[in-house]
Amino acid sequence: MVVLDDEQILEQGLRDYNEHFKMNLEITNLGDYFVYDPITKDHFVSSNLSSGLFEMRRRYPGRVFFSIRIGEKGVYKFER
Amino acid sequence: MRIVGGTDENNSLRIEVDVIGKCEEYHVAALFDSGFSGSVAVPVSVIAKIGANKIAVGSVIVADGSSHIVPVFEGKVRVGLMEYDAPILVLGNDVLVGMELMSRFKIYAEASVGLFYVEEVPIIHNLTESLHSIRVD
């Protein structure tokens, strides 16, 4: 089984998100959370991160996923 | 149910929560940071104590616009008697709760005595069904 480290997951996930998902999802699901497995290329979009992680964990137990909030640069932010 | 929080020596709002992992729970007066869009962030020492599965990585954008890679762990947070699924970020030196968790609540402040109160807001999933169930005599 292929195992990626955190930086690889982030880099691959962000690249795939920007190339294949970002444009459409920012129209249809702005503000939702995108959870993605860079190995299987499977993903799930949900209104909260917990639901997305739960569903992807159900599909692929033991994996670590890439996550981002659609329309943002990251999954969460600190404004102060 | 109403939960009471308070202010600390820096006049920051704190609320007692339990951060729940696979092995243990960690009881703490967490800092309520309304500028934090997530549920809960903990120092690495807390994740090590409670035990949790890493489930994701993501970027967190901080106030100066810079981004940081953070691991995200599976866990729960208990506020009062209610438990909520909560992605736990490992970041910083304090336990923070943010708007993803706290938006479930109404928050009232009694600033003169340094107290604030938290009440869970009921979620109406089907407004039409709820309206039909209301009797008007």
Side-chain angles (χ1 to χ4, degrees):
Chain A
M1 186 173 88
V2 177
V3 175
L4 304 177
D5 64 25
D6 288 1
E7 283 197 18
Q8 289 172 319
I9 292 169
L10 193 75
E11 190 183 309
Q12 182 71 57
L14 194 58
R15 187 183 321 137
D16 291 349
Y17 173 74
N18 287 334
E19 283 183 13
H20 303 294
F21 298 98
K22 178 179 158 82
M23 192 166 68
N24 288 335
L25 286 179
E26 286 188 354
I27 296 168
T28 59
N29 291 87
L30 194 65
D32 288 341
Y33 290 89
F34 174 81
V35 180
Y36 178 73
D37 180 7
I39 295 172
T40 64
K41 311 298 181 189
D42 195 8
H43 73 280
F44 192 79
V45 175
S46 61
S47 58
N48 64 77
L49 184 59
S50 276
S51 302
L53 293 175
F54 183 84
E55 174 59 24
M56 289 299 283
R57 173 55 61 98
R58 186 189 66 78
R59 296 180 193 177
Y60 307 104
R63 284 246 161 91
V64 178
F65 308 109
F66 167 78
S67 56
I68 193 167
R69 189 167 192 188
I70 298 164
E72 303 282 351
K73 292 180 183 173
V75 65
Y76 288 131
K77 58 186 176 183
F78 289 84
E79 294 186 12
R80 286 189 285 276
Chain B
M1 180 186 175
R2 194 167 75 165
I3 301 142
V4 180
T7 53
D8 62 17
E9 62 273 14
N10 299 315
N11 288 324
S12 298
L13 300 183
R14 289 197 178 261
I15 179 171
E16 292 197 9
V17 301
D18 297 294
V19 183
I20 302 168
K22 282 192 310 181
C23 309
E24 287 190 28
E25 301 181 2
Y26 182 72
H27 184 80
V28 64
L31 178 68
F32 171 32
D33 183 350
S34 59
F36 171 39
S37 64
S39 286
V40 60
V42 304
V44 66
S45 57
V46 172
I47 273 292
K49 177 179 170 56
I50 66 174
N53 291 326
K54 186 165 68 175
I55 191 169
V57 294
S59 289
V60 168
I61 312 302
V62 297
D64 66 3
S66 60
S67 68
H68 303 268
I69 299 174
V70 291
V72 181
F73 290 77
E74 273 185 302
K76 292 180 187 287
V77 176
R78 184 184 301 120
V79 182
L81 298 177
M82 298 298 296
E83 286 186 12
Y84 305 93
D85 289 325
I88 304 174
L89 269 61
V90 176
L91 187 69
N93 299 315
D94 202 348
V95 176
L96 308 181
V97 290
M99 291 305 293
E100 189 175 65
L101 176 70
M102 297 304 289
S103 61
R104 291 180 165 92
F105 303 97
K106 285 184 188 175
I107 301 171
Y108 311 85
E110 201 171 344
S112 59
V113 293
L115 293 177
F116 72 103
Y117 308 96
V118 171
E119 284 182 12
E120 193 182 26
V121 178
I123 297 171
I124 300 174
H125 291 287
N126 187 331
L127 183 59
T128 304
E129 188 179 309
S130 300
L131 288 174
H132 285 160
S133 71
I134 296 173
R135 278 181 49 160
V136 180
D137 292 325

